[in-house]
Amino acid sequence: MADHLELPQRITVPTRRAGGGGGQGPPRRNPRRHGQSLQAGIQQVRAARRIQDGIDPDLVFKLVTVGQRVSDDTLKMRGIEPLLETSDYTYFVLSRDAGEALERALREYTRAPDQEGAKAQLQSLFGVIERIEPYGPADRRGVGLDSLPESNSSFVVDVTLWASWDYPEAQRRVGILERVIARTQGQILLRDVRVRRTVLRVRVSRAGLDDLLNTSVVERVRTPPVPFMDASDWRNVSLSDLSLAHTPSAPVGVLDDMPLDHPLFEGLIASRTQIAPPNYIWQPPGQHGVEVVGRVLFPHLQEELRDHVALTAYGMVHVARILEPNPELRTETRFTEAALPHVTIENAIRTLHADHSVRVFNLSIGYRDAIDRVHVEELSEVLDDLAKELDVVIVVPTGNVPVNMNGQTPTGHHVEDYPHFLDHPLWRLTVPGDSAISLTVGSIAHSDAPEERERPRIGWRAVAPVDHVSPFSRTGPGVGTSAKRLNKPDLVEYGGNWVLDDMDSVHARESGVGVISTSLSGSGALFAACCGTSFAAPVVARIAADTLHAYPQASANLIRALVANSAHLPQPALAIEDAAQRFRLYGHGRPNRDRAIGSGPRRVSMTFDGSMAVDSVVIHPVLIPAEFAIGRSASRIIRVALAFDPPVRRQRREYLAANMQLDLYRAVDAETLIDVLSRQDPNDPEPLISGRRRVSNLAPGPGSWRSSTLIVREWQPRQLNVDDGEIYYVAISHRSQTWARDRSEYTEQKYALVVTLEDEARLDLDLYALVAQRLRQPVRVRLRSSS
């Protein structure tokens, strides 16, 4: 296995800057009657106010538009501050004057004639606003509130305030909340006050909770997040039966419960840090930390135990403790109560990165409930910010869906309905699986055979067949505006299965179908069978760390691109005809360590790791040796992977600050391609070059990737034309969103590109040697003839 090669020098293309936000134009209106309807909406918003003006002076409401973006400046001119915009063009706004400036503007609009299509003042604004609605208690009700018991005298909840434009404004809004809480003698337990996100944990009575749900500056109220995890068990194996080996690799930062002192971990845990104040009283560690660390250090444990070979540990781990067992129910795990979860996790990542230079992190947690379609949680945004700022790879699971003993799921299905319930909205990703720049990992089943017993268990059967999605694994898509988006999960890995017995009861931790990891039970067992996406993610984190070890100067973008580029879809995924459905279950597939870190005779990868100007286009020449193009081949593949790390904002309709797109061209000279791409309208995703020169079979299509920071596209040409030449071109375009343009801090976008040529069936072909030989010579891009 040889190191990957570098792509030839790229070409920068001068392009026109992208224009506005687009969308359809305003419909024909009767401005007088429409304006009166909007005025009635403002009155309805005012009538819904419950908190006294002196305590809560602001007014928050919704503007629902008809598929048209309204600029921040336009809203601010009418005395309203934009807070959040959603994918369906609904704007959440705040008014400091109870909507008086907006209503004055509406009076101008309604002075128009009482007729359809009449011209009116300010019709460019009010013509696209369909209605004005209150943002009330129902909108602020987050996860867990519906399950609070009526009898409790007080509740602990997390309160998210709307993002502010500066820190004094954030403090002003906290002051409003403090006054509201004081009305019912509530108590603030924890606070995290920042410009972009402010969260407070408070204890309030039922009346106090009602006040929170009616407070203007409150975006959302929810019960404190609880990580969802599975306990596990396994049969005894003696330590004396085992032999050990070690392979050097980059360290992985594990954010979890503190692992117990397992005998296999000796010398492999480089540091242990507890993320809490010195006086915090921790609960005794549970099993989850030792199981997750085992999956990071011993990713092939189950195969090695089965084959009776030496157990190989890869690299080392640095552990940051952020979790502990729930003392009221030891099989459950909770976040430390010393700080809000997103603050604790941010502190853990920053600590391990600063103190130990850790660049790959595993966070095997997922909240209990599916992601909110409107509100991106603080934790997901924090992980995206950290991944970009620190240039680190963060690996997270899609999350698990629970099942009761009778096989009933939260969707109302029975497990026998598998796989149909995987499409249900309640089966969608959980936080932080929607983190755009993290690697999100789902689970597939490695076994469908329940454990054999001396007394056979007739009728016991696994839920998922081998290599199918595990029945508990959550599915995509992630955050985005396009219904066709392919952006989550990124990858899948083995994470276990469920078993049904002869009474149709579920066994969620059955030994025959669980993945094996380290454990320390009271009986002295060294291993456990684990089931959950929490145990799929660590294996991907290990592959990312191995790739970083091979290329220590690589950016996090390049590591993500190499890992994703190495993935192959399991056979059951290939049988799914709907590409969107296939991706939302399996992502790019299951990664392969060897393919991520090296090339071979019949598979060569070429890489680029750098940056480009925002709102520009670059062209990367790609060598296609004639020997690779000659003849028919059913195994010929050209694969292109692109990873980038744009800024994010959870308050924006487009969560990502930018989109990137890649296309593959052939049979075209460089000058022609430069000329055409420089004239390309940035608002038009369809390239000007058509016909066979643009490889239209590069799948999936470009429209699927506009909400993704990790793009992998593939072409499997059975036959190539040698006359197309030995230079193809990958064109990469960057388009920033409206909210991110003209920002002094966002002028460059880091990205990484991997291009792989593969033909595994051609035993006579040394593709690596052919490409390496040509790269030693200057690559001559094809220019137009002067004749």
Side-chain angles (χ1 to χ4, degrees):
M1 188 164 57
D3 288 349
H4 301 311
L5 303 172
E6 291 186 6
L7 282 162
Q9 186 173 356
R10 64 181 179 171
I11 306 165
T12 300
V13 179
T15 65
R16 293 186 296 179
R17 191 179 180 93
Q24 65 191 50
R28 283 173 58 85
R29 304 270 195 196
N30 181 320
R32 179 173 296 181
R33 299 197 178 189
H34 181 58
Q36 290 169 346
S37 173
L38 296 181
Q39 287 174 322
I42 293 179
Q43 294 306 317
Q44 184 185 9
V45 169
R46 289 180 182 141
R49 179 194 292 275
R50 283 199 48 213
I51 308 297
Q52 298 172 10
D53 290 357
I55 296 175
D56 182 17
D58 300 333
L59 198 65
V60 169
F61 50 95
K62 293 184 281 188
L63 301 177
V64 181
T65 68
V66 284
Q68 178 74 25
R69 181 182 295 280
V70 181
S71 72
D72 290 0
D73 290 341
T74 299
L75 294 175
K76 290 176 182 177
M77 287 174 62
R78 306 304 158 194
I80 51 181
E81 183 70 31
L83 299 171
L84 172 71
E85 53 187 66
T86 69
S87 59
D88 60 359
Y89 290 99
T90 296
Y91 293 81
F92 301 81
V93 299
L94 178 146
S95 170
R96 300 280 287 272
D97 66 354
E100 292 292 345
L102 183 64
E103 194 164 38
R104 285 195 300 272
L106 267 172
R107 285 197 288 269
E108 294 182 40
Y109 177 65
T110 55
R111 291 193 183 104
D114 185 6
Q115 63 184 51
E116 193 77 13
K119 291 185 177 180
Q121 295 290 324
L122 304 173
Q123 68 180 18
S124 62
L125 169 61
F126 294 117
V128 300
I129 297 177
E130 185 69 22
R131 59 189 181 275
I132 297 175
E133 299 176 347
Y135 184 79
D139 298 292
R140 294 186 177 94
R141 293 185 70 86
V143 173
L145 295 195
D146 292 339
S147 302
L148 291 176
E150 293 291 337
S151 58
N152 276 28
S153 58
S154 66
F155 308 96
V156 175
V157 294
D158 286 354
V159 184
T160 300
L161 304 191
W162 293 107
S164 304
W165 52 84
D166 58 26
Y167 191 71
E169 174 62 15
Q171 290 178 307
R172 186 190 75 85
R173 296 179 186 179
V174 171
I176 292 174
L177 194 71
E178 289 173 337
R179 293 193 293 273
V180 169
I181 292 173
R183 280 164 48 99
T184 54
Q185 292 75 52
Q187 179 186 9
I188 297 179
L189 305 176
L190 298 169
R191 65 178 73 204
D192 176 36
V193 183
R194 312 191 200 191
V195 174
R196 283 176 52 192
R197 49 184 170 265
T198 293
V199 184
L200 296 92
R201 180 165 294 173
V202 302
R203 184 183 299 278
V204 291
S205 63
R206 174 65 67 177
L209 178 59
D210 289 342
D211 276 355
L212 292 177
L213 295 174
N214 282 281
T215 300
S216 65
V217 295
V218 171
E219 177 186 350
R220 186 180 68 256
V221 182
R222 61 161 296 163
T223 54
V226 177
F228 183 93
M229 298 172 179
D230 297 304
S232 308
D233 59 80
W234 184 244
R235 58 181 174 267
N236 291 328
V237 172
S238 171
L239 185 64
S240 61
D241 296 332
L242 304 174
S243 58
L244 303 178
H246 184 261
T247 296
S249 184
V252 174
V254 177
L255 316 180
D256 213 284
D257 194 2
M258 187 64 73
L260 300 166
D261 291 324
H262 196 282
L264 293 183
F265 292 169
E266 185 175 353
L268 299 178
I269 299 181
S271 70
R272 299 172 186 253
T273 305
Q274 298 189 127
I275 307 299
N279 59 349
Y280 183 79
I281 301 175
W282 289 88
Q283 296 295 317
Q287 290 293 335
H288 195 266
V290 70
E291 291 167 350
V292 168
V293 167
R295 288 289 280 166
V296 174
L297 291 173
F298 298 93
H300 310 300
L301 182 61
Q302 58 196 26
E303 294 91 345
E304 292 163 344
L305 287 172
R306 178 197 62 196
D307 297 339
H308 303 287
V309 298
L311 307 184
T312 301
Y314 289 78
M316 304 177 77
V317 297
H318 293 270
V319 178
R321 190 180 193 189
I322 62 170
L323 302 173
E324 61 183 358
N326 185 341
E328 298 177 2
L329 188 61
R330 294 287 297 180
T331 57
E332 288 189 355
T333 309
R334 71 182 185 187
F335 291 103
T336 160
E337 296 187 329
L340 296 160
H342 69 275
V343 176
T344 299
I345 292 170
E346 178 179 0
N347 290 340
I349 291 175
R350 289 191 182 279
T351 297
L352 295 188
H353 183 263
D355 294 351
H356 305 290
S357 301
V358 174
R359 292 191 58 212
V360 176
F361 294 87
N362 183 83
L363 180 59
S364 280
I365 66 166
Y367 291 179
R368 284 181 173 173
D369 300 281
I371 58 175
D372 190 316
R373 187 179 65 87
V374 175
H375 307 274
V376 176
E377 290 269 2
E378 293 79 16
L379 176 56
S380 298
E381 185 184 46
V382 164
L383 294 184
D384 287 334
D385 286 345
L386 291 171
K388 177 178 177 60
E389 175 193 345
L390 303 179
D391 193 27
V392 297
V393 178
I394 303 172
V395 183
V396 299
T398 58
N400 305 326
V401 176
V403 65
N404 64 24
M405 288 286 293
N406 297 322
Q408 298 294 325
T409 73
T411 61
H413 293 85
H414 188 273
V415 172
E416 287 275 34
D417 297 328
Y418 174 91
H420 305 296
F421 49 68
L422 297 177
D423 291 327
H424 196 281
L426 292 180
W427 228 262
R428 292 291 174 259
L429 303 168
T430 188
V431 176
D434 58 338
S435 166
I437 307 178
S438 298
L439 285 175
T440 302
V441 183
S443 174
I444 56 176
H446 74 290
S447 169
D448 59 4
E451 182 185 11
E452 295 182 359
R453 299 283 180 91
E454 291 184 6
R455 184 177 180 179
R457 298 176 296 181
I458 306 300
W460 287 50
R461 69 276 188 199
V463 174
V466 171
D467 282 340
H468 285 68
V469 174
S470 302
F472 48 77
S473 186
R474 291 184 175 273
T475 60
V479 177
T481 58
S482 170
K484 298 180 179 180
R485 63 189 179 276
L486 306 182
N487 59 350
K488 291 292 172 179
D490 298 296
L491 302 160
V492 291
E493 185 48 78
Y494 290 140
N497 203 347
W498 282 342
V499 165
L500 285 169
D501 63 20
D502 53 357
M503 300 295 290
D504 286 343
S505 295
V506 170
H507 297 257
R509 295 175 291 277
E510 210 278 339
S511 299
V513 299
V515 292
I516 308 305
S517 189
T518 48
S519 185
L520 280 175
S521 67
S523 64
L526 297 178
F527 304 105
C530 311
C531 289
T533 56
S534 293
F535 308 108
V539 178
V540 175
R542 170 46 56 203
I543 294 174
D546 291 349
T547 308
L548 177 61
H549 180 71
Y551 305 97
Q553 303 305 315
S555 70
N557 285 328
L558 182 54
I559 300 303
R560 287 196 297 139
L562 286 170
V563 173
N565 187 68
S566 78
H568 274 182
L569 288 168
Q571 196 61 40
L574 298 176
I576 301 175
E577 294 184 3
D578 185 337
Q581 176 69 2
R582 180 170 63 242
F583 190 91
R584 290 169 185 177
L585 294 174
Y586 293 91
H588 300 295
R590 184 173 177 235
N592 179 283
R593 175 185 182 272
D594 290 342
R595 294 172 62 91
I597 65 176
S599 296
R602 283 164 290 282
R603 187 193 70 255
V604 57
S605 292
M606 296 165 279
T607 68
F608 172 85
D609 197 2
S611 64
M612 63 188 292
V614 301
D615 296 312
S616 69
V617 177
V618 294
I619 299 173
H620 288 270
V622 178
L623 287 165
I624 306 291
E627 294 87 343
F628 176 71
I630 290 173
R632 294 180 62 86
S633 175
S635 60
R636 182 189 288 119
I637 297 173
I638 299 176
R639 184 182 295 112
V640 187
L642 171 70
F644 68 111
D645 54 356
V648 298
R649 290 293 183 275
R650 57 182 293 272
Q651 294 80 23
R652 294 295 183 170
R653 175 179 184 268
E654 294 88 0
Y655 177 65
L656 303 179
N659 294 321
M660 293 183 73
Q661 180 175 320
L662 63 86
D663 287 287
L664 181 63
Y665 296 92
R666 60 177 173 174
V668 61
D669 60 73
E671 286 184 353
T672 298
L673 188 57
I674 292 169
D675 179 58
V676 172
L677 293 179
S678 65
R679 292 185 285 108
Q680 175 73 42
D681 181 357
N683 289 317
D684 184 359
E686 291 300 322
L688 295 177
I689 291 183
S690 59
R692 68 180 305 275
R693 292 186 299 173
R694 174 174 173 259
V695 178
S696 59
N697 292 333
L698 198 64
S704 304
W705 300 106
R706 291 180 192 143
S707 297
S708 178
T709 70
L710 183 59
I711 303 169
V712 180
R713 303 184 67 192
E714 184 176 287
W715 183 31
Q716 300 185 31
R718 288 180 175 268
Q719 189 163 354
L720 293 175
N721 190 335
V722 179
D723 291 339
D724 289 340
E726 290 199 337
I727 302 294
Y728 286 25
Y729 298 99
V730 172
I732 299 177
S733 58
H734 177 281
R735 182 181 184 274
S736 57
Q737 300 294 350
T738 305
W739 66 263
R741 291 183 193 146
D742 301 319
R743 297 196 172 206
S744 59
E745 72 276 13
Y746 189 42
T747 59
E748 293 282 322
Q749 175 62 66
K750 294 187 297 181
Y751 74 98
L753 178 66
V754 180
V755 181
T756 298
L757 310 181
E758 177 179 333
D759 198 338
E760 294 289 359
R762 294 276 302 277
L763 300 181
D764 61 328
L765 185 69
D766 191 341
L767 191 56
Y768 185 90
L770 290 170
V771 174
Q773 179 184 13
R774 284 161 172 78
L775 284 175
R776 283 194 289 268
Q777 306 166 3
V779 174
R780 297 178 180 177
V781 298
R782 196 148 54 95
L783 301 178
R784 287 177 295 198
S785 172
S786 58
S787 57

